[in-house]
Amino acid sequence: MLTQVLNPSQIDIAATLLRQGECVAFPTETVYGLGANALDEKAVAKIFRAKGRPADNPLIIHCHSRLQLADLVTGWPPQAEVLMDTFWPGPLTLVLPKQPAVPDIVTGGLNTVALRFPSHPVAISLLQAAGLPIAAPSANISGRPSPTSAQHVLEDMSGKIAAIIDAGPTGGGIESTVLDCTVSPFRILRPGGVTYEELSSLVAVKDTLEGAPPAPGAQYGHYSPVARVVLVTGDRAKAEINRQIDACKAQGMKAALMAFTESRRPDIHFLDMGRDVSVAASRIYHLLRQGDALGLDVIIIEGLPEKGIGRTIMDRLRKAAAIVINT
Ligand code: TXA
Ligand code: MG
């Protein structure tokens, strides 16, 4: 199959393909998604095939209007409505009790469904033009970093999907927060673009870090780079990083340091996370893909402060890391 690369003025072509039961990759404000008609089992099956995704890892359904929700969920608590009013459209996914019309393939057989309203203008236009709820996981092969550019999507999906809409790099760079609204208090299943601090200022929320069961499928798809990732955190991280770099050099290993710009060193390949956590969030997956492309033996990563979006970034880095050294 030839994958058509469309530009944002060709949304109608993408919408037609979706209505015909094809898979189309599209940008969101977090990462590129791989979309298909959420109500068409055969179309959704194509997503699982293209990604090599295990069948018990459920998908997020993307919508643009609350009028669409009546067909998808049986209802939601008032506190969830507060979150919809505040964070939609945006990087917050709510898990709610599903309507029987939502095919089992979308939810991995669960009686709940995950929903979000993306804020990227191209995603909104596509959802409007297709007139369908769109099931869409991140548009990477399962186990690879999520794609933040059309180039990343093509690396993984070229020849496997009907089309991609290329709207350049996504802004946010890290996936949506997945919040289970079927339990009280609500529970974060996956930290993401909307922070624990933002959520808990409005409603009672339990953090993933409090020993919560992770999202279904969280046991899969952890990105494990070819290189060994050594994540170094804590007050004495800089000294430990120096030691790690020296050890790599002594052993003749090809190593890179991933850290904020201020920690740049001239004597080692540097993967620049930028000047603050929001820049780091937008770059993290690109840097990990770059690390793979460079054929590194080791990536040494300097940990970030674990608050706000830093907490989300650290969640992803911990999952990529072979070793975490707390100093
Ligand atoms: O930002 C995002 O969320 C991106 C863009 C494309 O929207 N999508 C994304 O989808 O990251 P995916 O499939 O890579 O991750 C969805 C996560 C998985 O951890 C999945 O297990 C969880 O959401 N999830 C989906 N449905 C669920 C449900 N019914 N209950 C609990 N967790 C669910
Ligand atoms: Mg994903």
Side-chain angles (χ1 to χ4, degrees):
M1 168 185 294
L2 182 70
T3 301
Q4 288 188 68
V5 180
L6 305 172
N7 64 55
S9 69
Q10 296 174 301
I11 279 173
D12 285 348
I13 298 176
T16 302
L17 287 167
L18 287 171
R19 281 197 299 269
Q20 289 169 345
E22 294 299 334
C23 287
V24 175
F26 62 96
T28 80
E29 73 281 16
T30 59
V31 301
Y32 274 75
L34 180 54
N37 178 358
L39 303 176
D40 176 344
E41 284 179 44
K42 284 200 181 117
V44 174
K46 291 180 185 174
I47 295 179
F48 282 89
R49 269 203 301 279
K51 280 184 63 87
R53 181 169 173 119
D56 61 353
N57 192 1
L59 307 181
I60 298 171
I61 299 185
H62 297 64
C63 296
H64 69 278
S65 158
R66 284 198 213 172
L67 296 175
Q68 295 174 287
L69 299 188
D71 295 336
L72 304 173
V73 297
T74 55
W76 54 85
Q79 297 295 68
E81 180 124 353
V82 172
L83 299 179
M84 293 175 182
D85 291 343
T86 311
F87 297 109
W88 280 1
L92 177 65
T93 295
L94 302 181
V95 173
L96 296 168
K98 87 173 186 82
Q99 286 282 14
V102 178
D104 280 345
I105 187 169
V106 173
T107 62
L110 297 174
N111 55 10
T112 57
V113 62
L115 293 171
R116 97 174 185 93
F117 284 33
S119 65
H120 194 295
V122 171
I124 295 174
S125 300
L126 178 65
L127 289 166
Q128 287 170 339
L132 296 167
I134 299 294
S138 50
N140 51 286
I141 292 173
S142 272
R144 295 262 292 148
S146 293
T148 53
S149 71
Q151 188 51 46
H152 296 162
V153 177
L154 289 168
E155 280 168 23
D156 287 10
M157 293 296 157
S158 188
K160 297 191 204 168
I161 59 173
I164 171 171
I165 306 174
D166 181 354
T170 62
I174 211 147
E175 302 90 334
S176 64
T177 304
V178 179
L179 186 70
D180 185 354
C181 299
T182 66
V183 292
S184 182
F186 296 167
R187 198 189 270 270
I188 296 176
L189 301 177
R190 177 181 73 179
V194 173
T195 64
Y196 169 75
E197 291 86 344
E198 288 173 299
L199 293 171
S200 59
S201 72
L202 292 170
V203 302
V205 174
K206 240 186 170 175
D207 195 3
T208 347
L209 303 179
E210 298 168 34
Q219 74 273 30
Y220 305 118
H222 287 177
Y223 165 64
S224 322
V226 182
R228 186 164 56 101
V229 170
V230 180
L231 176 62
V232 186
T233 67
D235 295 343
R236 291 182 300 278
K238 288 211 181 338
E240 177 60 26
I241 285 170
N242 290 339
R243 257 196 301 280
Q244 290 287 332
I245 291 173
D246 290 345
C248 287
K249 283 189 181 154
Q251 293 168 55
M253 288 196 282
K254 194 171 175 191
L257 172 64
M258 189 188 299
F260 282 132
T261 309
E262 63 187 20
S263 299
R264 181 188 290 277
R265 294 174 46 143
D267 58 337
I268 183 168
H269 190 89
F270 189 66
L271 297 168
D272 186 358
M273 292 202 290
R275 291 184 194 283
D276 60 50
V277 281
S278 59
V279 177
S282 72
R283 289 188 185 174
I284 212 85
Y285 290 133
H286 177 67
L287 295 176
L288 289 169
R289 278 181 183 258
Q290 249 189 325
D292 275 348
L294 286 166
L296 300 166
D297 300 311
V298 181
I299 305 175
I300 301 160
I301 306 183
E302 186 173 0
L304 315 173
E306 299 217 31
K307 49 180 192 296
I309 199 76
R311 203 187 271 253
T312 304
I313 298 171
M314 285 297 280
D315 169 75
R316 306 301 193 270
L317 292 179
R318 281 214 166 81
K319 287 174 177 160
I323 306 167
V324 180
I325 303 175
N326 297 306
T327 63

